[in-house]
Amino acid sequence: MKFTILSTTLTFALASANPHFRRGNTSEWEPAGADDLRGPCPMMNTLANHGFLPHDGRNITKEIAVYALNTALNFNTSLASIMWEQAVIANPESNATFFTLDHLNRHNVLEHDASMSRTDAFFGNNHVFNQTIFKTTTSHWTGDVLDANMLANGKLFRQVESRSFNPNYTFTATTEQFSIGEMAAPIIVFGDIEAGTVDRDLVLYFFENERLPTELGWTKKVDTIDLEDAAKASELIANATNLITSANAVAHTSRRRDLHAGFTA
Ligand code: HEM
Ligand SMILES: *[C@@H]1O[C@H](CO)[C@@H](O)[C@H](O)[C@H]1NC(C)=O
Ligand SMILES: *[C@@H]1O[C@H](CO)[C@@H](O)[C@H](O)[C@H]1NC(C)=O
Ligand SMILES: *[C@@H]1O[C@H](CO)[C@@H](O)[C@H](O)[C@H]1NC(C)=O
Ligand SMILES: *[C@@H]1O[C@H](CO)[C@@H](O)[C@H](O)[C@H]1NC(C)=O
Ligand SMILES: *[C@@H]1O[C@H](CO)[C@@H](O)[C@H](O)[C@H]1NC(C)=O
Ligand SMILES: *[C@@H]1O[C@H](CO)[C@@H](O)[C@H](O)[C@H]1NC(C)=O
Ligand SMILES: *[C@@H]1O[C@H](CO)[C@@H](O)[C@H](O)[C@H]1NC(C)=O
């Protein structure tokens, strides 16, 4: 109840303060026009396409970002604030109060190499959806229901590909944290956080159209998405990036020592 009132108040305040700001609507969608800014994040682009964020991709203040993430996706407002605070450094001006979707394109600020669906900056456009690149990722999404292993496999593949062919491949420990969060994001928004799964169709539709998959039956989560939800899904992905199988896995049930067993078996 408290939440409904807050959302309504925010909606009203935003609509009256800024005539260009549309409140957003899951059933209204319009791709970017010639003067609209878009970036490397399929979700920020999606929210702008639906008008939850300014359709022109500009003036993403904390108030607006929190409104969009909360209204469209049911993110906890504290979590949404933290996400905006981590992202505002994308605006090169000091003490900025907003960023644009174009700011997100700045290489190695937030945008990084080995994305699932974008080319590395070294090779060209680092922010436009690239189906050729995306297909190499989705070839690792081997089931109708994606799990953490499939998402992690796609991520690891993209990093191996970049390190092999991009002489300027850059991927720091901070990048790794963001990257893990990006793999977790589809599970958090479109999937089942407890099970750590998400329908492949929903994720493909979202990436390829930069649109919420409402027509495939998706609706925003009834329960608010909290920091703990995000942390749990990220931990699942982080665990899945480890290529070592557990000691109980079938291939390792034999206690026989052989060349492959090393000295620790
Ligand atoms: C304040 C909110 C957000 C900001 C500022 C933001 C920013 C970014 C940026 C800069 C990237 C590019 C990283 C790269 O180079 O690959 C990115 C990627 C991504 N973001 Fe967001 N993001 C936000 C929220 C979300 C949310 C809520 C989702 C939920 C689905 C999401 C999903 C993704 C995904 C899946 C990618 C990876 C794209 C790829 O690898 O091709 N983001 N985001
Ligand atoms: C969303 O858009 C649809 C179709 O244009 C419209 O019927 C509906 O009233 C809108 N909802 C809101 C909350 O504005
Ligand atoms: C930016 O958004 C804020 C609300 O967060 C609003 O007060 C301000 O007028 C907007 N500025 C522009 C240039 O649209
Ligand atoms: C949002 O998260 C904060 C901090 O984790 C928590 O105190 C608050 O109760 C949450 N709000 C809702 C509506 O779940
Ligand atoms: C930014 O904020 C800091 C701390 O509040 C202040 O010292 C600094 O002068 C500000 N910089 C600009 C360019 O406004
Ligand atoms: C190349 O690598 C350096 C160092 O990691 C980085 O600062 C720069 O942004 C990279 N440029 C491209 C185009 O990848
Ligand atoms: C997409 O990526 C492929 C493979 O790297 C590249 O050949 C093509 O030029 C890219 N397309 C766009 C639109 O950047
Ligand atoms: C990740 O792995 C650790 C160590 O094996 C385990 O304790 C933890 O429960 C795992 N996390 C999730 C979310 O599965």
Side-chain angles (χ1 to χ4, degrees), residues 107-108 113 121-122 166 168 170:
H107 185 50
N108 283 332
D113 286 337
F122 180 81
N166 175 356
N168 201 46
T170 304

Side-chain angles (χ1 to χ4, degrees), residues 13-263:
L14 288 167
S16 44
N18 182 356
H20 301 291
F21 187 74
R22 310 191 323 179
R23 284 177 293 171
N25 184 325
T26 46
S27 52
E28 281 175 13
W29 180 91
E30 198 187 325
D35 295 329
D36 297 331
L37 304 177
R38 291 295 181 267
C41 176
M43 182 53 86
M44 296 305 269
N45 291 350
T46 295
L47 295 176
N49 290 342
H50 282 288
F52 290 105
L53 290 174
H55 195 267
D56 67 4
R58 293 169 170 85
N59 196 32
I60 302 177
T61 61
K62 188 197 265 193
E63 186 185 21
I64 288 174
V66 170
Y67 167 80
L69 291 169
N70 178 247
T71 311
L73 308 176
N74 204 2
F75 271 68
N76 175 318
T77 53
S78 315
L79 173 60
S81 296
I82 293 168
M83 290 166 73
W84 181 88
E85 282 156 16
Q86 290 180 341
V88 71
I89 54 158
N91 184 334
E93 285 172 33
S94 52
N95 304 338
T97 58
F98 70 92
F99 60 85
T100 72
L101 293 187
D102 184 53
H103 286 144
L104 299 182
N105 296 326
R106 294 173 63 216
H107 185 50
N108 283 332
V109 178
L110 298 172
E111 192 285 322
H112 57 75
D113 286 337
S115 305
M116 287 184 269
S117 65
R118 269 72 174 165
T119 314
D120 286 2
F122 180 81
F123 295 118
N125 190 312
N126 67 347
H127 56 273
V128 163
F129 173 77
N130 186 314
Q131 186 66 264
T132 309
I133 298 291
F134 191 49
K135 278 212 153 40
T136 68
T137 303
T138 60
S139 70
H140 300 269
W141 296 358
T142 50
D144 291 338
V145 177
L146 304 183
D147 61 16
N149 280 346
M150 294 178 207
L151 288 157
N153 287 344
K155 165 183 155 57
L156 292 167
F157 168 80
R158 287 288 299 137
Q159 287 178 255
V160 170
E161 190 82 350
S162 288
R163 198 174 65 174
S164 303
F165 302 111
N166 175 356
N168 201 46
Y169 171 68
T170 304
F171 210 93
T172 67
T174 309
T175 312
E176 174 68 355
Q177 293 314 308
F178 272 92
S179 168
I180 286 169
E182 289 154 19
M183 305 303 131
I187 293 176
I188 294 165
V189 173
F190 305 121
D192 179 335
I193 298 167
E194 275 311 306
T197 58
V198 57
D199 286 353
R200 188 180 197 264
D201 285 354
L202 299 180
V203 185
L204 293 182
Y205 179 98
F206 156 67
F207 265 96
E208 291 174 351
N209 300 295
E210 299 197 333
R211 181 173 187 154
L212 293 169
T214 312
E215 66 179 31
L216 300 185
W218 174 85
T219 52
K220 71 177 170 188
K221 289 220 169 335
V222 174
D223 295 329
T224 307
I225 296 165
D226 290 318
L227 182 60
E228 299 81 76
D229 297 316
K232 174 162 197 243
S234 292
E235 193 178 301
L236 277 172
I237 301 289
N239 282 0
T241 61
N242 187 337
L243 294 173
I244 313 283
T245 59
S246 84
N248 325 323
V250 180
H252 293 257
T253 46
S254 160
R255 310 288 292 182
R256 189 167 51 93
R257 283 169 190 270
D258 63 18
L259 275 179
H260 301 284
F263 296 100

Side-chain angles (χ1 to χ4, degrees), residues 2-16 63 67:
K2 209 169 137 198
F3 230 57
T4 315
I5 294 166
L6 175 69
S7 298
T8 312
T9 316
L10 258 179
T11 304
F12 181 73
L14 288 167
S16 44
E63 186 185 21
Y67 167 80

